[in-house]
Amino acid sequence: MNSVTLAAGVRANLLALQQTSSVQEVVQNRLATGKKVNSALDNPGNFFTAAALSDRANDLTTLLDDMGQAVQTLKAADEGIKAIQKLVDSAKAKANQALASASTTDRNTFASEYNNLLTQIEDIAEDSGYKGKNLLNGDELKVIFNERTSDAQNSLTISGVSWTSVSNLSLAAVEDWSVGDDGDASINTTIDSLNTALTTLRTQASTFGTNLSSVQIRQDYTKAMVNTLQTGSDRLTLADQNEEGAKLLALNTRQQLSSTALSFASQADQNVLRLLG
């Protein structure tokens, strides 16, 4: 089949119309996806740079989830310490009541209640874990702060304590709170041990509090960094919807004008057709 020959004016206007349609497709795609760079073909530099920024943001987001879980583990341990402190205070109150009593029966009752409180301290220490990590049962918690390999990793290792045995708090069950000097001496020794335990609890609570503060600061920093990375990636790839909308409006107008110009350019051929008619 022989090719159709077009007049120069018709060909020029047809080419302009095709170019306008091609640009329209690009603009419509940007409006539909919200992005000016949808593939490496659009802008290789921006595409791969934005991909690298997004990948790092995703890696940090994963670490951010882990930091959140570490915060909960520390909070669980802190709640356990608070509960244990209350039990130690109660145990101290029992010891003071026994010291003030001159009744052997009452002292034996107080001693039994004291021993029960020690058992509850061990139970709370055992129950202060979160997702399998218990900082009051000797577990160690490692919190990773960046996405680098292990040799360049920033992290915080939090050492736990083993309070599932009250002996690690310098406490022990009592047997003799009898009336008399020996019983009084035993009670006073117990009170001294309880005061030491309270000091240990407060010191450890302060240590965990410092660790919690450090993790939360890094958590906030990482959130800000993820936002910075995502914003940077978006600026390289996202389209300005207002600008693209204005472009599409202008292209639609240009398309109408090109169609009109094409119609005018083809009138010469139509005049020849009239002569032949």
Side-chain angles (χ1 to χ4, degrees):
M1 180 191 229
N2 294 330
S3 61
V4 178
T5 301
L6 298 177
V10 172
R11 186 174 297 279
N13 284 284
L14 178 60
L15 180 60
L17 187 59
Q18 289 173 334
Q19 290 173 338
T20 300
S21 297
S22 178
V23 177
Q24 270 184 318
E25 289 180 5
V26 173
V27 174
Q28 286 170 346
N29 185 51
R30 289 177 178 178
L31 286 170
T33 63
K35 292 184 176 182
K36 63 183 178 182
V37 179
N38 288 286
S39 70
L41 297 176
D42 297 327
N43 187 320
N46 283 13
F47 178 80
F48 288 112
T49 301
L53 293 173
S54 294
D55 288 344
R56 189 182 177 208
N58 291 334
D59 291 341
L60 289 177
T61 299
T62 300
L63 293 177
L64 199 57
D65 293 337
D66 293 338
M67 289 180 215
Q69 295 305 301
V71 167
Q72 296 307 115
T73 302
L74 283 164
K75 286 184 176 179
D78 183 62
E79 290 300 325
I81 290 176
K82 289 177 181 176
I84 291 173
Q85 282 180 311
K86 291 178 181 178
L87 290 173
V88 172
D89 286 333
S90 295
K92 187 176 177 180
K94 294 299 177 185
N96 285 322
Q97 285 177 312
L99 190 62
S101 175
S103 168
T104 299
T105 301
D106 288 345
R107 285 197 173 194
N108 288 335
T109 299
F110 292 139
S112 176
E113 292 173 346
Y114 172 87
N115 290 335
N116 287 334
L117 289 170
L118 295 190
T119 300
Q120 291 181 46
I121 288 174
E122 293 178 340
D123 291 343
I124 285 179
E126 288 179 356
D127 294 338
S128 295
Y130 178 82
K131 291 185 67 176
K133 284 283 185 184
N134 190 343
L135 293 174
L136 301 188
N137 192 22
D139 290 343
E140 186 177 84
L141 177 65
K142 183 177 182 179
V143 190
I144 300 173
F145 295 132
N146 64 9
E147 76 287 4
R148 299 173 194 161
T149 55
S150 57
D151 57 336
Q153 214 170 59
N154 292 331
S155 62
L156 174 65
T157 300
I158 302 168
S159 299
V161 292
S162 184
W163 289 343
T164 51
S165 172
V166 291
S167 61
N168 293 323
L169 282 169
S170 302
L171 300 176
V174 297
E175 296 179 1
D176 181 20
W177 273 5
S178 59
V179 176
D181 292 340
D182 290 340
D184 290 350
S186 176
I187 294 172
N188 284 320
T189 299
T190 299
I191 291 174
D192 290 340
S193 297
L194 290 167
N195 288 332
T196 300
L198 285 172
T199 300
T200 301
L201 288 164
R202 289 164 184 160
T203 300
Q204 191 59 50
S206 176
T207 299
F208 282 158
T210 300
N211 292 329
L212 177 60
S213 178
S214 297
V215 174
Q216 288 177 324
I217 288 171
R218 286 305 298 252
Q219 190 178 34
D220 292 339
Y221 164 79
T222 303
K223 286 179 182 178
M225 180 57 70
V226 168
N227 182 66
T228 298
L229 292 168
Q230 290 176 335
T231 300
S233 176
D234 290 344
R235 287 181 176 176
L236 291 171
T237 59
L238 291 185
D240 184 332
Q241 299 288 61
N242 292 326
E243 180 181 353
E244 299 303 327
K247 284 182 181 179
L248 185 61
L249 181 61
L251 287 168
N252 288 338
T253 303
R254 183 185 299 176
Q255 186 181 47
Q256 293 173 4
L257 292 173
S258 295
S259 297
T260 301
L262 180 62
S263 176
F264 288 155
S266 65
Q267 283 183 358
D269 292 340
Q270 293 175 1
N271 288 335
V272 173
L273 181 63
R274 291 192 189 97
L275 289 175
L276 296 175

